[in-house]
Amino acid sequence: MALYVQKYGGTSVGSVERIEAVADKVCGFKQQGHDIVVAVSAMSGETNRLIGLAKEIQSQPNPREMDVLVSTGEQVTIALLCMALESRGVSARSYTGAQVKILTDNTHTKARIQDIEVTSMQRDLEAGRVIVVAGFQGVDPDGNITTLGRGGSDTTGVALAAALKADECQIYTDVDGVYTTDPRVVEGARRLDRITFEEMLEMASLGSKVLQIRAVEFAGKYKVPLRVLSSFSEGQGTLITIEDDAAVEKPVISGIAFNRDEAKLTVIGVPDVPGVASKILGPVSKANIEVDVIVQNVAADNTTDFTFTVHRNDYEATQKVLEKVASELGAREVVGDNKIAKVSIVGVGMRSHAGVASKMFDTLADENINIQMISTSEIKVSVVIAEKYLELAVRALHSAFEMDVDGSVSG
Ligand code: ADP
Ligand code: ASP
Ligand code: MG
């Protein structure tokens, strides 16, 4: 008999009926003799609702208070799920992050897990109880409530599985696995039976929100067997695996990720002298703004245009920083565009195949989509394009790389 940590996301616990359905599912596993630890999200929409309330009062609320507020969503679902389990004759006990003791650092709203106390959970498991833990939250060394960043219940699930040495961490959600791309955007998207940690990490960091990036990192680091499955239907889902020899037989491209959350800024006509990149990006990073894709071109007149992308929420703040930097550097002007999107193709098979990037560029050219920026790594190629072409680009690439359900996978 196995120990499973099962994480149920917002849609899966989005109503009383759905919480009851989760309880039925958990009961089924229990009846088969397995030990079950559950991590739950808040009911779908609840975290956004809470953030909205805060924003009605203050545009930049105090992060500590934000965590006190948004962690309440998960407290509701742990209690309701335990009631549903008890009403089915299954003994269950709920825990907030602080009660378990999911110890984190004190970086409010994006805290990192440092340690998890397992003794009381182990006692409950020995007593045959189902343990239901609030996802997304922890407690810092001073006893303050912290949260782990949006989508953080995935990380709670994986961290619990690592701490308890579970046989598998199962992420139950509203799709039945990890697909070649978001199945809500491309109808022909195909479910993958397996995907490597490395690819999943790229997909997650390039915008596929099916798993939180930190959850994938954590699972890779602690070798937690991780599976994504549907709360609403049966099936094997997708197993996230450590790369094996079979990788040479893998398709060149495993998936397409995209991200609408970015904005692009360019400092035009910067004198092309050593130290310019650091003079531009230094103040940006000092303002706590993360930079993603960077492109620098040298013009014939010995000036350079310096372009980079940031999260769309940081667009105005970055503009302000750059106006100042541009005048100090004697640059011509700062221009920006916040209606861009980034599309990325990902696959470990790319390492051993040439021509992947050019196929991507040809496909976009055939659709008359202009590429504004390009960034590559060993296992991905990303392009920045106008947001209005995002769906067209993803669909075209999905079929060009023969990933559609009825197409064969290129190899
Ligand atoms: P949960 O609330 O269960 O955590 P999320 O909304 O965070 O669920 O993640 C599931 C969603 O991720 C799906 O509904 C799907 O639209 C989206 N998604 C994006 N990319 C992919 C992908 N490659 N495979 C599967 N789902 C994806
Ligand atoms: N409820 C949190 C969020 O919406 C955490 C999660 O669902 O994973 O981001
Ligand atoms: Mg999620």
Side-chain angles (χ1 to χ4, degrees):
M1 291 302 115
L3 167 61
Y4 294 129
V5 173
Q6 304 186 326
K7 177 260 172 175
Y8 291 90
T11 317
S12 313
V13 293
S15 63
V16 166
E17 292 71 36
R18 288 193 168 167
I19 291 174
E20 304 246 22
V22 168
D24 286 336
K25 210 164 175 112
V26 172
C27 276
F29 281 97
K30 209 54 200 142
Q31 276 157 8
Q32 289 165 27
H34 300 303
D35 284 332
I36 304 294
V37 175
V38 180
V40 280
S41 290
M43 295 166 92
S44 62
E46 178 63 5
T47 309
N48 286 343
R49 187 184 76 84
L50 294 167
I51 293 172
L53 290 178
K55 294 270 154 102
E56 279 182 38
I57 294 177
Q58 261 189 316
S59 63
Q60 301 276 341
N62 177 323
R64 181 187 181 279
E65 303 315 327
M66 227 25 217
D67 279 350
V68 173
L69 176 69
V70 297
S71 59
T72 59
E74 274 73 9
Q75 194 167 329
V76 171
T77 43
I78 53 171
L80 292 176
L81 179 57
C82 282
M83 292 171 195
L85 287 165
E86 295 275 353
S87 76
R88 283 159 178 76
V90 173
S91 162
R93 181 169 283 176
S94 69
Y95 287 91
T96 64
Q99 285 174 318
V100 171
K101 202 150 176 209
I102 298 181
L103 186 71
T104 71
D105 62 19
N106 60 6
T107 325
H108 284 291
T109 76
K110 42 180 183 260
R112 281 185 181 269
I113 296 177
Q114 292 176 331
D115 193 32
I116 295 186
E117 232 350 284
V118 290
T119 24
S120 49
M121 286 192 288
Q122 271 161 349
R123 224 177 10 244
D124 282 329
L125 287 174
E126 275 158 28
R129 293 192 192 103
V130 171
I131 299 164
V132 182
V133 180
F136 179 51
Q137 54 177 264
V139 63
D140 79 2
D142 297 324
N144 297 299
I145 298 173
T146 53
T147 63
L148 311 176
R150 296 307 305 269
S153 300
D154 293 339
T155 304
T156 306
V158 172
L160 287 170
L164 292 163
K165 301 190 171 48
D167 293 284
E168 193 166 274
C169 177
Q170 303 173 336
I171 307 285
Y172 286 92
T173 183
D174 55 6
V175 283
D176 62 350
V178 178
Y179 278 67
T180 46
T181 192
D182 190 339
R184 295 188 202 287
V185 170
V186 178
E187 223 175 86
R190 213 165 26 82
R191 187 181 59 77
L192 301 164
D193 285 330
R194 298 157 82 90
I195 183 168
T196 66
F197 275 108
E198 206 183 358
E199 288 170 319
M200 194 62 238
L201 197 58
E202 285 283 5
M203 293 279 283
S205 30
L206 295 167
S208 298
K209 295 187 175 107
V210 58
L211 284 175
Q212 200 202 30
I213 307 168
R214 282 192 189 167
V216 187
E217 266 171 11
F218 214 101
K221 187 164 164 196
Y222 294 98
K223 304 212 163 27
V224 176
L226 183 61
R227 193 184 287 277
V228 176
L229 323 98
S230 166
S231 296
F232 308 119
S233 60
E234 295 300 312
Q236 290 304 300
T238 301
L239 185 66
I240 325 293
T241 61
I242 292 165
E243 196 174 344
D244 53 23
D245 292 344
V248 285
E249 316 250 351
K250 278 185 67 72
V252 181
I253 303 301
S254 295
I256 302 178
F258 52 85
N259 187 355
R260 302 171 201 265
D261 297 341
E262 293 191 32
K264 181 181 83 163
L265 294 113
T266 304
V267 190
I268 297 178
V270 190
D272 188 26
V273 291
V276 159
S278 128
K279 283 196 181 112
I280 294 175
L281 294 182
V284 173
S285 98
K286 256 208 203 100
N288 250 327
I289 296 167
E290 274 180 43
V291 170
D292 184 20
V293 185
I294 305 172
V295 171
Q296 184 188 343
N297 325 310
V298 183
D301 63 356
N302 279 334
T303 67
T304 174
D305 291 349
F306 194 92
T307 306
F308 59 91
T309 64
V310 294
H311 195 281
R312 210 173 269 190
N313 293 345
D314 291 329
Y315 180 59
E316 279 86 20
T318 314
Q319 241 168 351
K320 274 201 195 121
V321 173
L322 289 187
E323 295 292 352
K324 189 158 175 273
V325 171
S327 77
E328 283 165 12
L329 289 175
R332 234 180 354 259
E333 62 175 324
V334 176
V335 295
D337 181 358
N338 65 0
K339 297 213 163 34
I340 56 154
K342 187 172 72 178
V343 181
S344 311
I345 54 174
V346 175
V348 288
M350 237 184 254
R351 285 197 182 113
S352 48
H353 282 79
V356 175
S358 64
K359 182 166 175 176
M360 180 184 201
F361 305 152
D362 287 348
T363 307
L364 296 174
D366 287 344
E367 299 294 339
N368 251 325
I369 299 171
N370 190 34
I371 299 173
Q372 303 178 9
M373 300 170 84
I374 300 170
S375 136
T376 65
S377 81
E378 250 193 322
I379 66 161
K380 69 116 201 244
V381 184
S382 300
V383 295
V384 171
I385 59 173
E387 187 186 7
K388 63 181 174 194
Y389 297 126
L390 174 64
E391 270 140 32
L392 175 63
V394 175
R395 289 203 190 99
L397 291 167
H398 199 266
S399 66
F401 284 98
E402 294 165 57
M403 287 190 278
D404 290 341
V405 167
D406 48 7
S408 64
V409 178
S410 60

